[in-house]
């Protein structure tokens, strides 16, 4: 694989302190190696034992893994459980009065609820859903701000065996509509609005827009949580109901519905390289096991911890490490409504100080933006409660890693750089922090039972230092089961023929160093990673082309100091190529347009106009060249196969 050989040569190594290692759940490299060896020598025995010990089953499973219909793998398939029971009920005998959630609103108001209170709220909401006839297998779309209620809604679905599909509150009405239709949701749970950084974020009106867009006749009810501020939400009588009215008089006890281990727990839509978003479907037992194991392994969970994952519940990180993982192990967790920079860039650190957070998990993009706003700000706070830090979503550059390690972690907290995906459900490559020494910029080694490797086009492992495709060679419990409504795309996307349909292809390139450490290099497909969010270039292109002014569009990523990548669009208008003020006006319009088609997060940072796009003689857009143009690089590649070589000059000029 030419072109992706690594140039990184990071040599610093940070082993855990003796104190951390001695107290860790997995203490020392021998303990880590033993677990890996157990998994390698008796794969099913290893996972079977994990599932027996960590999950409370209503009906025990007798079979661990069924590979007969690969790649549609089944785990623990004759077992029965309930995920909400595992996250709440089983803790009540001992932990009823333990805090489950410390919720801090945008303006700093704090609400604390115990496991008992969480139980009551989940049961009431579940009873509400039940009373309108929602049952096992029905779909519920959740379009909520960060709130206790978002978690209650997820848990209530799990309690009655309904399948939730959380849609990030930043997606547009159109994106929401598309997801509601694909999932055929019977219910949408939302809030009148959200509050972030002192600003109101409309939610209910976006839901109305989605439902008015047509095709959503499946939706019987819209349940609206009143996030205080305004009361005059637009209302459709008979369909819309306030959350507080919906649960009024509902019993505070609701028997958990036993479901099969393989019953879908949720669908979460994510971007792929082509076409519509993919409905990643997760199982109940295997997914839960991944969440629990990684809370103990990667986050070294201890009952005394205060855990805080800053991800929104609209993303997989917010599912596994807000909605399920912390609750499944009986942790106290912080949930935050707002943004890291409001009212100032000390917000995260102030909250860590105030709530005595011990394990903190965030994204490199947040770290980079906070460094920029004032590298010394963390010093103003007492961060001595921290003992472990984590990152996720994109590669973390070594400088940001070092800042996080020193300024936030005081040089005493291991950093768990966790590589995983919506599709893997839980961490795959990450240090067990009491065992594995860390290196800035590396997600280190596979967790036990995760058979990760880096291979070439033919599926052969590549040697150390050489780039290749990141694959996982054996199925694992928390992996995606299928794509909702599209099993063929599932097979094609993740289990390519080149690897005999056996290896899970992650879509990332990576290399390994001499010690076997993994270094993620980036996506191999047309998926962008903007501020840790996955965006398909095709989706943005389709949105642009849907605008009446646009004839053709190509979208590429360009490295960005804070966001990781930014979105650059090359556009050919139906009319003449614009310039000056006119170009500015059209750019503003097109950015708004993409915002309303997909969501603000997909707005191009830069738009360039050409009379044409660089194409091969067979009509294929040369994205490689466009990437170079976007970066302002000199074109050194061979352009003799281009249909229209002069176009490059024009696209470069618009700098
Ligand atoms: C990228 C987020 C480097 C990667 C959990 C992956 C990372 C995609 C890391 C999945 C990391 C995630 N280091 N890259 N620690 N974590 N990625 O589905 O490209 O939103 O394929 O899941 O993010 O994004 P997703």
């Amino acid at each position: 694989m030419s072109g992706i050989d690594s140039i990184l040569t990071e040599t610093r190594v940070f082993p855990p302190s003796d104190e951390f290692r001695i107290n860790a759940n997995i203490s020392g490299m021998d303990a880590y190696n033993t677990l890996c060896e157990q998994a390698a020598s008796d794969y099913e025995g290893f996972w079977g034992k994990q599932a027996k010990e960590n999950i409370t089953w209503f009906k025990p499973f007798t079979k661990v893994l069924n590979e007969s219909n690969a790649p549609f793998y089944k785990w623990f398939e004759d077992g029965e459980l309930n995920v909400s029971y595992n996250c709440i009920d089983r803790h009540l005998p001992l932990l009823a009065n333990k805090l489950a959630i410390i919720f801090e609103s945008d303006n700093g108001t704090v609400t604390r609820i115990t496991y008992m209170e969480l139980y009551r709220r989940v049961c009431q909401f579940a009873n509400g859903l039940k009373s309108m006839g929602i049952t096992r297998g029905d779909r519920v779309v959740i379009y909520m701000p960060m709130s206790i209620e978002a978690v209650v809604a997820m848990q209530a679905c799990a309690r009655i065996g309904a399948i939730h599909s959380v849609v990030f509150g930043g997606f547009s009405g159109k994106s929401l509509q598309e997801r509601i239709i694909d999932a055929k949701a019977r219910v949408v749970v939302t809030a009148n609005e959200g509050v972030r950084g002192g600003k109101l974020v409309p939610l209910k009106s976006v839901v109305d827009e989605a439902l008015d867009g047509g095709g959503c006749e499946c939706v019987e009810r819209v349940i609206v949580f009143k996030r205080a501020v305004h009361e005059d939400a637009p209302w459709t009588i008979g369909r819309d109901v306030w959350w507080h009215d919906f649960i009024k008089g509902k019993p505070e006890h609701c028997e958990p519905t036993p479901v099969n281990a393989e019953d879908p727990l949720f669908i979460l839509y994510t971007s792929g390289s082509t076409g519509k978003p993919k409905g990643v479907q997760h199982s109940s037992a295997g997914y839960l096991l991944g969440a629990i194991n990684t809370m103990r392994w990667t986050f070294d969970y201890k009952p005394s911890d205060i855990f805080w994952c800053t991800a929104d519940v609209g993303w997989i990180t917010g599912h596994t490490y807000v909605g399920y993982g912390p609750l499944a192990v009986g942790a106290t967790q912080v949930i935050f409504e707002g943004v890291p920079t409001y009212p100032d860039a000390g917000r995260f650190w102030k909250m860590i100080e105030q709530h005595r957070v011990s394990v903190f998990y965030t994204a490199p993009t947040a770290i980079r933006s906070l460094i920029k706003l004032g590298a010394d700000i963390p010093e103003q706070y007492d961060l001595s409660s921290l003992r472990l830090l984590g990152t996720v979503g994109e590669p973390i550059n070594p400088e940001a890693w070092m800042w996080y390690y020193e300024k936030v972690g005081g040089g005493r907290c291991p950093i768990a750089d966790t590589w995983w995906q919506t599709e893997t459900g839980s961490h795959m490559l990450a240090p067990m922090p009491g065992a594995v020494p860390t290196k800035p910029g590396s997600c280190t080694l596979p967790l036990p039972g995760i058979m990760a490797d880096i291979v070439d086009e033919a599926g052969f492992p590549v040697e150390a230092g050489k780039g290749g495709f990141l694959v996982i060679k054996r199925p694992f419990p928390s992996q995606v089961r299928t794509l909702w409504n599209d099993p063929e795309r599932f097979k094609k996307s993740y289990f390519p023929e080149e690897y005999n349909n056996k290896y899970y292809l992650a879509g990332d390139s990576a290399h390994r160093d001499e010690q076997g450490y993994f270094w993620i290099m980036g996506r191999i497909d047309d998926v962008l990673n903007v501020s840790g969010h996955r965006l398909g270039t095709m989706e943005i292109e389709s949105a642009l082309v849907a605008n009446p002014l646009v004839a053709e569009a190509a979208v590429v990523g360009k490295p960005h100091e804070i966001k990781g990548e930014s979105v650059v669009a090359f556009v050919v208008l139906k009319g003449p190529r614009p310039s000056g003020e006119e170009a500015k006006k059209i750019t503003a319009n097109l950015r708004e347009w993409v915002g309303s088609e997909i969501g603000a997060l997909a707005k191009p940072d830069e738009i360039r106009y050409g009379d044409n796009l660089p194409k091969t003689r067979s009509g294929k857009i040369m994205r490689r060249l466009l990437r170079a143009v976007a970066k302002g690089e000199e074109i050194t590649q061979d352009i003799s196969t281009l249909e229209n070589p002069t176009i490059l000059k024009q696209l470069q000029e618009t700098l």
Side-chain angles (χ1 to χ4, degrees), residues 270 316-317 391-395 417-423 443 506 508 520 523 529 532 534:
T270 189
I316 190 67
T317 309
T391 76
V392 58
E394 54 186 312
D417 178 350
T418 59
W419 178 88
W420 60 298
Q421 309 177 293
T422 305
E423 292 87 344
C443 51
D508 281 342
I520 305 295
R523 298 284 307 187
N529 193 329
R534 259 167 83 167

Side-chain angles (χ1 to χ4, degrees), residues 386-459:
L386 288 173
R387 66 180 194 88
L388 178 60
L389 300 170
T391 76
V392 58
E394 54 186 312
I396 178 163
N397 43 313
E399 307 82 73
W401 195 102
M402 285 308 302
W403 180 86
Y404 197 32
Y405 185 74
E406 281 166 357
K407 298 277 179 177
V408 180
R412 78 185 174 273
C413 308
I415 294 186
D417 178 350
T418 59
W419 178 88
W420 60 298
Q421 309 177 293
T422 305
E423 292 87 344
T424 70
S426 57
H427 304 152
M428 299 282 106
L429 305 172
M432 284 185 153
V436 178
T438 55
K439 302 183 186 184
S442 168
C443 51
T444 73
L445 302 173
L447 290 172
I450 303 303
M451 305 305 181
D453 205 348
I454 301 171
V455 299
D456 62 17
E457 275 101 345

Side-chain angles (χ1 to χ4, degrees), residues 311-355:
D312 193 283
V313 287
W315 309 113
I316 190 67
T317 309
H319 278 63
T320 309
Y321 302 106
V322 178
Y324 291 105
L327 299 176
V329 296
T332 297
Q333 71 167 320
V334 173
I335 297 181
F336 178 40
E337 181 181 40
V339 298
T341 48
Y342 179 85
D344 56 51
R347 184 66 183 268
F348 274 178
W349 324 126
K350 183 164 180 241
M351 285 180 63
I352 289 171
E353 174 182 276
Q354 184 186 349
H355 303 302

Side-chain angles (χ1 to χ4, degrees), residues 270-274 278 421 423 489 494 506-508 522-530 532-540 555-557 565 567 623 627:
T270 189
S271 292
S273 43
T274 54
K278 314 191 241 194
Q421 309 177 293
E423 292 87 344
R489 191 175 176 200
Y494 303 115
D508 281 342
R523 298 284 307 187
I524 53 171
D525 50 16
D526 290 321
V527 172
L528 304 184
N529 193 329
V530 179
H533 303 320
R534 259 167 83 167
L535 291 173
T537 47
M538 279 280 291
E539 277 169 71
I540 307 176
V555 167
V556 299
E565 261 184 307
V567 179
R623 284 163 198 287
R627 258 177 239 129

Side-chain angles (χ1 to χ4, degrees), residues 434-513:
V436 178
T438 55
K439 302 183 186 184
S442 168
C443 51
T444 73
L445 302 173
L447 290 172
I450 303 303
M451 305 305 181
D453 205 348
I454 301 171
V455 299
D456 62 17
E457 275 101 345
F460 295 109
V462 299
E463 57 190 276
K466 278 261 182 306
F469 303 107
L470 178 54
V471 295
I472 300 171
K473 293 180 156 177
R474 295 280 284 136
F476 51 92
S478 71
Q479 87 189 54
V480 49
R481 291 302 190 263
T482 186
L483 293 179
W484 186 257
N485 282 338
D486 209 346
E488 275 311 307
R489 191 175 176 200
F490 167 74
K491 278 206 254 185
K492 261 190 27 211
S493 309
Y494 303 115
F495 297 92
E497 268 172 32
E498 290 84 338
Y499 303 152
N500 297 324
N501 313 101
K502 273 204 159 359
Y503 293 174
Y504 168 80
L505 179 70
D508 281 342
S509 61
H511 74 96
R512 239 177 320 191
D513 63 21

